[in-house]
Amino acid sequence: MPRRTTLAAAALLAAGALLLSACTGGSAPEPTASVGPADPDASVAVRLVLEPGNLDIRETAGAALDQILIDNVYQGLVSRTPDQEIVDTLASSHSVSADGLTYTFTLREGVTFHDGQELTPQDVVWSLQQVKDTASFRDSARLANVASIAADGQDIVLTLSAPDSTLLWNLTGRAGLVFKEGDTIDRKTKTNGTGPFALTDWKKGDSITLERTDDYWGDAPSVAEVVVSFIPDTQAALNGALAGELDVVTGFDANLTDQIEANGDFAVVLGKSTDKGTLAMNSTSGPLADKRVRQAIRQAIDKESIVEALGAGQTLYGPIPELDPGYEDLSSTAPFDPDAAKALLAEAGAENLSLTLTIPAFYPTTVSQILVSNLADVGITLNVDPVEFATWISDVYTNHDYELSFVLHPESRDFENWANSDYYFTYNNPEVQQLYADSVAATDPDTAADLLAQAAKIVAEDQAADWLYNGASVVAVSSNVTGFPTTGTNERMNLAALIKSQG
């Protein structure tokens, strides 16, 4: 869901300078051994949950754009592997000065955009400057510490006003994507990137087709095309897979594993993710302004039962998941204890409380049903209000007009939302904001992570929200397909290593 200052819609179901050269595009997963000879003319059909509203990844919210476009169509100087390592991509190498104020990237030569135009250092300078200078661009604030961006031959030099431990990571996402200066395409409907695939067709309401770029600067993909089909309903996706219409089903329901694996044509793979099933609590007014009420809600919820019902994932009690810097077990901040929850509600004078949970309508009812039951056990009536996603964006995310809301946040390293009082979480703690700023300014990765851990503990102790589970990446993959990433697929998925066997 909401990503940093944006929304990762497709997940609505899902520091250190590593000087690694990326001769094949950097962040592609290593394919496993194919079960048969690779078919160079193969088409791979991949199911996603949601369709993007448009293709302008600079301005449009939605993780579907990240999943489809980042690494596959658009690239940056650096990218990241599914295991969260930062790797050089359009840069052949990079270095960081000892004081953390100068980042130098050497741009690869011989890279072209999909329309045949050459990638130049000026394209990189222009792209990054555009993001920095345009507040409406997603992740613009992530380049706030960059004082200047300049080209010196093939080198791109970023000079910072202050050290920023998050900069390299930020450049692996939307803030670092490189476009052609002066491009006249309508970015809402067309794309022009440097990646291993070109977006050639968008059947709105149905699918997007990515075709292999044969003159790609790295190793060209082993499949001719990938067709990304938008199928919100899990049962429909299951039926499509069993009918041979899909090769990969992302965002799969782990409880349906036996059904899709029954004939041996598919295997369900569970991978780690940074997905955070987040129960947001609007603490600006009403009963939720009372910390005791928020804590009571947290202690009334049986997270183990949620994870069991989902069939995958693990419990989570704070805003930082296990894969991200700053993680620690914060279960002590709100252990499951209905009796303690009742006592807190009585102390706050909030018995017989009635609250409304606003949730996107296409969500499965699994989590909301458990919440209704758990809260009823402590005397809270929970009214579930399923709304269209556009309404959720308007009412909850933009206008903060809600009491409780549940969405899945798949983004990595997004703690900054808890340091942003304007974010829809409505959480405002100056101490947390300062700790986050200190973490960003730290030049040592361990120090930065420790500061994040301190801040995260305060957020959890403030009972600012509840984190119902850390989701797993659940992907069903056909037996004749290899190389599909299995970690963090609700956030992004590099398709360059896909192989489909013949027959």
Side-chain angles (χ1 to χ4, degrees):
M1 289 280 350
R3 75 177 324 275
R4 287 46 173 194
T5 53
T6 76
L7 285 223
L12 288 172
L13 257 161
L18 301 177
L19 304 181
L20 303 178
S21 178
C23 60
T24 63
S27 59
E30 286 294 325
T32 55
S34 180
V35 296
D39 180 1
D41 300 319
S43 175
V44 177
V46 177
R47 176 262 190 151
L48 283 192
V49 177
L50 287 187
E51 181 176 21
N54 67 69
L55 301 179
D56 191 347
I57 197 167
R58 300 170 305 173
E59 299 194 67
T60 305
L65 286 176
D66 302 68
Q67 290 173 298
I68 296 167
L69 299 182
I70 296 182
D71 297 325
N72 301 312
V73 176
Y74 291 126
Q75 299 174 309
L77 293 167
V78 289
S79 189
R80 61 183 187 257
T81 70
D83 294 327
Q84 314 291 54
E85 291 185 342
I86 297 172
V87 292
D88 292 308
T89 304
L90 293 180
S92 59
S93 65
H94 71 267
S95 62
V96 183
S97 63
D99 61 6
L101 295 177
T102 305
Y103 287 66
T104 303
F105 303 85
T106 300
L107 188 65
R108 294 184 187 278
E109 298 189 29
V111 178
T112 59
F113 288 90
H114 295 148
D115 66 356
Q117 296 183 84
E118 180 184 2
L119 169 67
T120 68
Q122 179 55 33
D123 292 325
V124 180
V125 172
W126 176 81
S127 296
L128 299 183
Q129 195 68 54
Q130 284 271 300
V131 173
K132 176 176 170 56
D133 293 345
T134 310
S136 64
F137 282 8
R138 300 294 169 178
D139 290 359
S140 173
R142 290 180 170 271
L143 300 185
N145 288 329
V146 178
S148 67
I149 307 166
D152 180 9
Q154 284 295 110
D155 288 344
I156 313 299
V157 181
L158 275 60
T159 304
L160 277 59
S161 57
D164 187 340
S165 64
T166 69
L167 180 63
L168 274 178
W169 182 265
N170 293 339
L171 290 175
T172 69
R174 293 193 183 201
L177 297 179
V178 175
F179 304 90
K180 184 64 183 177
E181 182 178 14
D183 214 332
T184 59
I185 64 168
D186 179 0
R187 295 195 190 280
K188 293 183 183 295
T189 60
K190 303 292 182 181
T191 63
N192 184 29
T194 59
F197 293 95
L199 194 155
T200 58
D201 187 36
W202 181 12
K203 295 183 174 68
K204 292 189 177 181
D206 181 72
S207 64
I208 280 176
T209 299
L210 305 175
E211 289 190 4
R212 176 176 58 217
T213 305
D214 288 320
D215 57 355
Y216 176 55
W217 60 266
D219 292 340
S222 297
V223 297
E225 68 173 17
V226 178
V227 179
V228 180
S229 296
F230 307 110
I231 308 174
D233 183 71
T234 297
Q235 187 62 49
L238 172 63
N239 294 340
L242 295 178
E245 298 167 356
L246 295 170
D247 299 297
V248 179
V249 183
T250 68
F252 191 65
D253 185 343
N255 292 301
L256 301 176
T257 296
D258 289 346
Q259 294 183 45
I260 202 167
E261 290 185 341
N263 60 10
D265 290 341
F266 278 82
V268 173
V269 183
L270 300 181
K272 290 186 176 183
S273 84
T274 55
D275 297 0
K276 300 165 290 294
T278 306
L279 180 67
M281 305 185 195
N282 190 335
S283 59
T284 57
S285 63
L288 293 171
D290 192 322
K291 174 181 173 180
R292 294 169 296 184
V293 174
R294 300 194 301 271
Q295 182 173 347
I297 291 172
R298 293 191 69 198
Q299 294 203 249
I301 298 171
D302 183 0
K303 294 182 173 63
E304 295 284 358
S305 68
I306 292 177
V307 171
E308 182 178 355
L310 294 174
Q314 60 190 32
T315 57
L316 183 66
Y317 293 85
I320 298 180
E322 188 176 11
L323 286 179
D324 282 354
Y327 168 79
E328 65 175 322
D329 181 1
L330 294 174
S331 56
S332 63
T333 62
F336 176 54
D337 189 338
D339 290 336
K342 291 177 184 178
L344 283 165
L345 291 170
E347 181 183 325
E351 300 102 324
N352 302 314
L353 188 62
S354 180
L355 296 169
T356 298
L357 173 70
T358 306
I359 188 170
F362 56 82
Y363 263 176
T365 60
T366 305
V367 172
S368 58
Q369 287 176 344
I370 292 174
L371 293 179
V372 168
S373 176
N374 285 173
L375 295 184
D377 289 342
V378 301
I380 298 175
T381 299
L382 185 64
N383 304 296
V384 180
D385 182 20
V387 298
E388 293 301 316
F389 185 52
T391 301
W392 189 95
I393 292 284
S394 174
D395 292 353
V396 178
Y397 181 71
T398 302
N399 296 325
H400 306 175
D401 182 14
Y402 74 100
E403 289 183 316
L404 298 171
S405 184
F406 169 74
V407 292
L408 189 67
H409 288 253
E411 306 80 21
S412 305
R413 306 192 189 191
D414 61 349
F415 181 81
E416 66 202 52
N417 292 332
W418 297 102
N420 178 6
S421 61
D422 293 329
Y423 197 66
Y424 90 98
F425 291 155
T426 73
Y427 179 67
N428 186 3
N429 186 316
E431 184 179 4
V432 168
Q433 293 160 16
Q434 186 60 56
L435 284 167
Y436 178 71
D438 292 344
S439 174
V440 171
T443 56
D444 173 62
D446 292 336
T447 300
D450 180 65
L451 290 164
L452 284 177
Q454 293 178 46
K457 186 173 183 180
I458 294 172
V459 173
E461 289 175 339
D462 280 347
Q463 315 297 334
D466 202 10
W467 301 272
L468 306 181
Y469 61 94
N470 179 186
S473 172
V474 185
V475 182
V477 184
S478 171
S479 58
N480 65 344
V481 171
T482 60
F484 192 86
T486 56
T487 300
T489 52
N490 285 337
E491 184 179 18
R492 57 202 284 177
M493 51 184 199
N494 189 324
L495 304 172
L498 276 179
I499 294 175
K500 187 174 182 177
S501 61
Q502 296 177 0

